[in-house]
């Protein structure tokens, strides 16, 4: 049952990754080419998902959209992990006022929604893939910091850390050799769940016109463009919505799967 | 060498887990602490090592070679740990990092205090010194690939690789079965003899402590109820709790 969850997640994520990879070398049609004569076609052998309001092949746009979805996910989650995990380890390892400061800072960022941050960045720099990634990344830092801190507190109380400290290990060496390897699986779970959140956030930003600008196809902007035809061509909204759902579900299942398959102790910490 | 005076440790608002404990261990001396589970033995050991959690309040004095350790900041303390004093933990199952090869863990302890020398050779030497039959194989193993006795030997190797002056053993044989326990005790005895290190040996088993230590301190509910020379204490225990312990050990010895 647990394995099933993991493999289903892996399959869905694999689907999104394959779509992104395929789009790098091949798409059925040019995802930017406007063909006024082909507006709003329904599914057919020539266009399996139909065409959009500009007459562009939806399948091609979905494939390219997968690329942006993964790009934003990878960059924002990596950014968040690179900042959040060391902060969380620091807070958990050193404790005292250091922990207080780190946790209060993450509380502040946590209270600030990614959306607000994205609006702010978009207002200053103009909405782009970069501002979307930055906003989502910063907003995801607290989740990593908290997870890493919880894991670190647990590991710090473990006998093997006390034994290592009894031999003189401390500071960065303790963090790198004993704490990080023992919370890495926990961070992996968080990364997978963070990825799912990032995909949702990216879609939301695209939908609001705060992310990657037109004409680059992203699932969020596709959803936004479909709105116009919600009653006349409802399938327009279905496809990008389905793609987002598949990706989000995939990464969530993968995260849960990793958690369940790795050490049972991790389930308590997260 | 080690002088503990009026050591008191309290967690939060609860009554102190260790109250007003005093003892001394001379150069090369061995003191055994016995007491029931929860009597404060491990807390005493961790207080000496400076490894108590930050919410523990420690009072009194712990002096090593004349230098006060209570209140020492962790970065100062950690220079002493592994070098001047060290500790071997009770649970061989949990005291080795599951993500790290045994040899690397022992080498890490070595490198912290020795520069430029070949850590691998030293690791193999110390693994042989703790009676490990196949040091090279053990060094390349992960903890879960070793037996309980092997792990306890590896832990001991990690602790003594820098020849610390004082070794604290916290129930090192409690988790092992009888035969392995006897072998490990013998190994510890030989090791201490060879290095001339002082030792604080904690156990709930008076027979184990008597075998290894010249002096014994008996703890009950966080307090030292009796301490003295081993033979004296076994022959004429004064405190009722010690009397009960000695009587129980006699019965066990007769039956066993
Ligand atoms: N980290 C801790 N936080 C709170 N209480 C503790 C902690 N460690 C030990 N204690 C308490 O101190 C008492 C003595 O524990 P310990 O020294 O581990 O006993 P033992 O003699 O079995 O080694 C126990 O009541 C235990 O609950
Ligand atoms: Mg104990």
């Amino acid at each position: 049952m647990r394995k099933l969850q993991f493999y289903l997640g892996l399959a869905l994520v694999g689907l999104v990754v394959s779509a992104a990879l395929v789009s790098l070398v091949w798409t059925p049609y040019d995802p930017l080419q406007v063909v006024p004569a082909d507006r709003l076609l329904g599914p057919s052998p020539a266009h399996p998902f139909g065409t959009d309001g500009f007459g562009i092949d939806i399948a091609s746009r979905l494939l390219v959209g997968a690329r942006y979805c993964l790009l934003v996910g990878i960059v924002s989650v990596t950014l968040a992990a690179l900042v959040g995990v060391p902060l969380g380890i620091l807070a958990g390892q050193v404790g005292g006022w250091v922990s207080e400061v780190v946790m209060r800072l993450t509380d502040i960022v946590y209270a600030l929604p990614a959306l607000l941050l994205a609006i702010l960045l978009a207002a200053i720099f103009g909405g782009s893939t970069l501002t979307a990634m930055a906003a989502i990344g910063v907003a995801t830092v607290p989740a990593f910091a908290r997870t890493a801190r919880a894991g670190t507190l647990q590991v710090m109380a473990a006998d093997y850390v006390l034994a290592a400290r009894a031999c003189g290990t401390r500071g960065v060496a303790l963090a790198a050799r004993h704490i990080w390897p023992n919370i890495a699986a926990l961070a992996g779970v968080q990364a997978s769940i963070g990825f799912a959140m990032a995909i949702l956030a990216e879609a939301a930003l695209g939908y609001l016109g705060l992310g990657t600008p037109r004409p680059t196809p992203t699932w969020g902007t596709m959803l936004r463009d479909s709105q116009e035809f919600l009653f006349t061509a409802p399938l327009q909204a279905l496809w990008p919505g389905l793609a987002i759902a598949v990706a989000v579900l995939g990464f969530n299942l993968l995260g849960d799967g990793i958690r369940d398959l790795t050490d049972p102790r991790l389930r308590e910490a997260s | 060498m080690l002088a503990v005076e009026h050591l008191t440790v309290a967690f939060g608002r609860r009554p102190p887990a260790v109250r007003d404990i005093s003892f001394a261990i001379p150069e090369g001396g061995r003191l055994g602490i016995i007491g029931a589970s929860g009597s404060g033995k491990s807390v005493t050991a961790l207080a000496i090592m400076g490894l108590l959690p930050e919410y523990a309040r420690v009072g009194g004095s712990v002096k090593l070679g004349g230098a006060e350790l209570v209140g020492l900041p962790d970065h100062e303390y950690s220079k002493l740990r592994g070098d001047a004093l060290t500790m071997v933990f009770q649970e061989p199952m949990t005291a080795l990092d599951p993500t790290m090869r045994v040899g690397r863990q022992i080498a890490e302890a070595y490198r912290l205090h020795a520069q430029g020398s070949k850590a691998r050779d030293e690791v193999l030497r110390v693994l042989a010194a703790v009676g490990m039959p196949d040091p090279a194989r053990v060094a390349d193993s992960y903890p879960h690939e070793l037996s309980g006795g092997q792990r306890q030997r590896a832990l001991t190797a990690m602790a003594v690789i820098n020849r610390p002056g004082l070794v604290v053993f916290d129930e090192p044989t409690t988790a092992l079965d009888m035969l392995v326990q006897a072998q490990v005790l013998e190994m510890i005895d030989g090791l201490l003899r060879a290095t001339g290190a002082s030792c604080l040996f904690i156990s709930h088993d008076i027979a184990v402590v008597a075998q290894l230590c010249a002096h014994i301190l008996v703890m009950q509910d966080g307090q030292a109820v009796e301490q003295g020379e081993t033979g004296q204490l076994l022959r004429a225990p004064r405190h009722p709790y010690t009397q009960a312990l000695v009587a129980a050990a006699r019965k066990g010895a007769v039956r066993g």
Side-chain angles (χ1 to χ4, degrees), chain B residues 11 14 17 36-43 53 55:
Chain B
F11 297 100
R14 284 191 285 163
S37 168
S39 58
K41 306 184 296 294
S42 294
V43 170
Y55 56 85

Side-chain angles (χ1 to χ4, degrees), chain A residues 94-96 158-170 173-174 177-179 181-182 265, chain B residues 49 51 54 74-75 78 81-82 85-86 89 91 94-100 108-109 112-113 158:
Chain A
V94 178
D159 279 357
Y160 56 82
V161 164
L162 286 178
R165 291 179 64 206
C167 294
T169 310
R170 71 179 182 97
L174 190 69
R177 290 184 208 145
H178 297 287
I179 299 175
N182 283 288
R265 280 175 306 169
Chain B
M49 294 300 301
L51 289 176
E54 65 178 14
D74 193 67
H75 63 96
S78 61
R81 289 195 289 250
L85 76 172
T86 191
F89 286 79
E91 268 296 331
T94 57
L96 287 166
D97 191 330
T99 63
M100 215 168 163
E108 168 187 306
L112 285 166
H113 301 281
M158 181 165 108

Side-chain angles (χ1 to χ4, degrees), chain A residues 15-266:
Chain A
L15 192 67
V16 178
V17 172
S18 326
L21 289 179
V22 165
S23 82
L24 288 174
V25 290
W26 175 81
T27 50
Y29 295 85
D30 183 341
L32 300 178
Q33 181 66 52
V34 176
V35 187
D38 288 352
R39 287 186 76 234
L40 299 174
L41 295 180
S44 69
H47 300 280
F49 296 91
T51 61
D52 68 5
F54 301 98
I56 309 176
D57 179 52
I58 290 181
S60 304
R61 287 179 73 78
L62 284 176
L63 288 178
V64 177
R67 213 195 288 167
Y68 284 89
C69 145
L70 289 181
L71 176 72
V72 172
I74 289 170
V75 173
S76 57
V77 165
T78 305
L79 174 75
L82 282 179
V83 177
V85 170
L87 276 179
I89 292 179
L90 180 75
Q93 189 182 351
V94 178
W97 66 268
V98 175
S99 172
E100 276 305 304
V101 171
V102 170
M103 287 342 273
R104 289 298 82 79
L105 278 176
T106 58
D107 280 349
I108 292 170
V109 177
Y110 193 72
L112 203 75
L115 197 58
L116 201 63
L117 216 60
I119 294 172
L120 214 70
L121 288 177
I124 302 172
F125 303 105
S128 67
T129 314
L130 200 65
T131 58
M133 292 189 299
I136 297 169
V138 169
T140 313
V141 167
F144 275 97
R146 286 176 182 190
T147 306
R149 178 171 170 272
T152 302
L153 287 178
Q154 204 172 36
V155 170
M156 281 299 282
D159 279 357
Y160 56 82
V161 164
L162 286 178
R165 291 179 64 206
C167 294
T169 310
R170 71 179 182 97
V172 178
L174 190 69
R177 290 184 208 145
H178 297 287
I179 299 175
W180 165 247
N182 283 288
I183 67 166
L186 197 61
V189 173
Q190 183 58 48
S192 205
I193 292 168
F195 216 109
M197 307 270 277
I199 290 168
L200 261 185
E202 191 258 352
L205 293 183
Y207 181 79
L208 293 169
L210 293 167
T212 311
R214 285 199 186 92
T216 308
T218 70
W219 296 344
T221 46
M222 287 175 75
L223 207 55
R224 182 187 188 195
D225 293 341
S226 74
Q227 221 181 192
E228 216 180 304
F229 317 109
L230 205 54
F231 298 105
T232 48
L235 280 183
Q236 297 279 316
L238 181 69
W239 302 124
L242 209 58
I244 293 166
V246 163
V248 169
L249 185 68
F251 279 102
N252 270 326
L253 285 178
L254 195 64
D256 288 351
I258 297 173
R259 168 164 41 215
D260 290 342
L261 289 181
T262 49
D263 201 318
R265 280 175 306 169
L266 297 180

